[in-house]
Amino acid sequence: VDDVVDEPGDVTAKADALVSWRREIEAVYGGSPAQPTGRALADAVQTFALPKAAFLDVIDGMAMDLDGVMCAPSEADLHHYCDRVAGAVGRLSLPIFGGAGDNADALAAALGEALQYTNILRDLGEDMRLGRLYLPRECLAANGIESDDPATVLAHPNIGAVCTELALHARHRFAESAALIAQGDAKRLKPCRVMMVVYQRILTGLEAR
């Protein structure tokens, strides 16, 4: 679904493709998947009791990109977006890893948001070329940037201050994630720790730049 939205193509065709994926997810849970990916998912869905809502959340996140919502979004829209495209992936991954217990949803939300904020900072130039800007409008305005044009925003002399605020938020969410991981099964949650350490290193490099 990420490729559906990011690859070149007609917007209507992309929207239709997302609708098709919604139908396929419904078919997976109805016992009649039609696509190879859907058939492959069916076993995992049954084995790990994966929540259907999380798959649909991911598709909803992709739809936000397609609808143009994510160009200097509000902080609330950015939060919803991160929850859908990253937190939902955590809600699907953690039942497979195991070991998070009652903290699974909180860990998915915290680590997902930390990873996604790092992605946003890493991909500013690439997103600009796609006509996207994930920096929240409240943060832009607080730093004297009134435009929502990606190229104009990235050329503004105060862009570093905006990026620093997002980096600090990512650091806060990484710290929350580390605390939640420490309360769980260290062996089972090793994939989470690996992702966290790798992305923290990426964030450190971005902060230095």
Side-chain angles (χ1 to χ4, degrees):
V1 291
D2 195 42
D3 289 342
V4 166
V5 173
D6 286 346
E7 294 297 319
D10 177 72
V11 174
T12 301
K14 292 180 178 185
D16 289 344
L18 291 183
V19 170
S20 294
W21 276 112
R22 291 182 199 279
R23 292 197 192 105
E24 184 66 10
I25 293 301
E26 294 292 347
V28 167
Y29 283 84
S32 57
Q35 301 297 326
T37 299
R39 291 195 292 272
L41 277 175
D43 285 342
V45 163
Q46 184 172 10
T47 300
F48 299 106
L50 303 181
K52 179 173 73 172
F55 285 110
L56 298 176
D57 281 342
V58 173
I59 298 173
D60 286 341
M62 297 301 105
M64 291 177 74
D65 275 328
L66 200 60
D67 293 341
V69 175
M70 302 310 295
C71 191
S74 67
E75 289 178 347
D77 281 340
L78 180 59
H79 176 76
H80 288 311
Y81 178 78
C82 290
D83 182 68
R84 288 169 174 170
V85 303
V89 175
R91 291 192 289 277
L92 292 168
S93 301
L94 284 168
I96 299 171
F97 300 157
D102 293 339
N103 292 330
D105 285 350
L107 176 56
L111 186 54
E113 194 163 277
L115 300 179
Q116 194 63 30
Y117 267 57
T118 304
N119 281 338
I120 288 169
L121 292 170
R122 183 194 62 195
D123 297 338
L124 285 171
E126 179 181 337
D127 290 332
M128 177 190 71
R129 290 186 284 276
L130 293 171
R132 298 176 190 163
L133 178 71
Y134 294 94
L135 305 177
R137 67 171 69 110
E138 294 91 340
C139 187
L140 293 173
N143 287 280
I145 306 176
E146 300 299 333
S147 176
D148 62 0
D149 173 68
T152 301
V153 171
L154 295 194
H156 196 283
N158 293 342
I159 186 63
V162 174
C163 291
T164 295
E165 288 191 32
L166 264 70
L168 287 172
H169 181 75
R171 288 286 181 196
H172 174 70
R173 296 297 264 167
F174 276 129
E176 290 182 349
S177 302
L180 291 166
I181 290 171
Q183 296 173 28
D185 184 317
K187 184 176 180 179
R188 288 184 176 274
L189 294 178
K190 184 176 180 180
C192 296
R193 290 189 289 114
V194 170
M195 284 185 284
M196 185 172 67
V197 169
V198 169
Y199 267 75
Q200 283 175 319
R201 289 174 180 170
I202 293 171
L203 183 60
T204 297
L206 292 168
E207 288 170 324
R209 190 177 71 188

